[in-house]
Amino acid sequence: RFLPALALFAALLPFVPAHPARAEVLTVTDPGDDPTNWAYKTGMFRTVVNNCRDGDEIRFADGARTVSLKGAVSISSGKTVTIAGPATITAQYSGSRLFVIPGGATAVMKDLTLSGASPSIGSGGAVFNAGTLIMDGCTITNSQCRDDGGAVYADEGSVTTLTNCVISGNTLLNASYSGGGVYVSNGTLTMTGCTVKNDTGALFGGGVAFSGTAT
């Protein structure tokens, strides 16, 4: 006599709303980097980023507040990830960018210092943004690239929001390109309370060059 009830319950299961997984706070405990074996390196920044689910937040343990990367870290498309300092993220080798944000991804960065990035090719010294980048209280310094955007390159259709940030001491290595600090290509740029200074080497826009909408 229980079979009809069980059949009805099974039929209704697809219509029961699924509860989204709760966002978690993940902690970086290892300041090193291993792009090849990251899956086996618990607590390493690259590993933590790759293991993030949509909505998770990353923080840094006291012994891992300076992270040295051997290559760019990418935020997965479809995810919003918050990276909250204070922390410093640097490039261990020349030829390395720090972050890539693809279309459909959102990176929220708070109280971070990004420095020393120098990709061997392409635009965006420290950050290449094709999705949504939100930075609050961050500093990008001493980064460089050979194309546009010594600190940040924001691709077509991207959204970049910088609040209380410092973009300083970044360089373009090829004088044919623009945006010594920030370059926005047909995207949306909003800057509030920011300092842009001592960015060099650009054809146009020593500090900021953009096409699209800027506030």
Side-chain angles (χ1 to χ4, degrees):
R1 61 180 177 179
F2 296 106
L3 288 178
L6 289 173
L8 177 61
F9 177 73
L12 290 174
L13 278 178
F15 300 97
V16 177
H19 294 285
R22 293 182 59 184
E24 294 184 2
V25 175
L26 308 177
T27 303
V28 177
T29 57
D30 181 350
D33 189 29
D34 187 344
T36 303
N37 299 305
W38 63 266
Y40 306 100
K41 305 288 185 177
T42 303
M44 193 173 67
F45 179 67
R46 183 182 301 276
T47 307
V48 173
V49 171
N50 278 284
N51 288 339
C52 271
R53 298 175 302 176
D54 182 33
D56 284 351
E57 179 173 318
I58 298 171
R59 298 180 186 172
F60 298 81
D62 287 342
R65 294 194 183 277
T66 299
V67 173
S68 183
L69 296 178
K70 295 180 179 179
V73 168
S74 180
I75 308 297
S76 297
S77 184
K79 293 182 181 180
T80 296
V81 175
T82 298
I83 305 170
T88 297
I89 300 176
T90 67
Q92 190 171 143
Y93 300 128
S94 176
S96 296
R97 183 179 287 107
L98 299 181
F99 288 99
V100 174
I101 305 164
T106 298
V108 181
M109 302 184 186
K110 302 177 181 179
D111 300 319
L112 299 180
T113 296
L114 309 183
S115 69
S118 179
S120 55
I121 59 173
S123 298
V127 182
F128 185 100
N129 175 33
T132 298
L133 171 64
I134 301 170
M135 304 186 80
D136 189 352
C138 295
T139 296
I140 307 179
T141 186
N142 296 329
S143 293
Q144 61 186 21
C145 67
R146 299 185 181 280
D147 293 352
D148 298 310
V152 176
Y153 177 86
D155 207 7
E156 183 173 354
S158 64
V159 176
T160 303
T161 302
L162 308 178
T163 304
N164 299 325
C165 292
V166 176
I167 311 295
S168 175
N170 304 287
T171 304
L172 296 186
L173 300 177
N174 187 331
S176 298
Y177 292 91
S178 298
V182 178
Y183 187 95
V184 179
S185 175
N186 294 315
T188 300
L189 171 67
T190 302
M191 300 179 71
T192 305
C194 295
T195 298
V196 182
K197 64 180 182 179
N198 299 331
D199 301 297
T200 61
L203 178 64
F204 298 110
V208 179
F210 71 90
S211 60
T213 301
T215 303

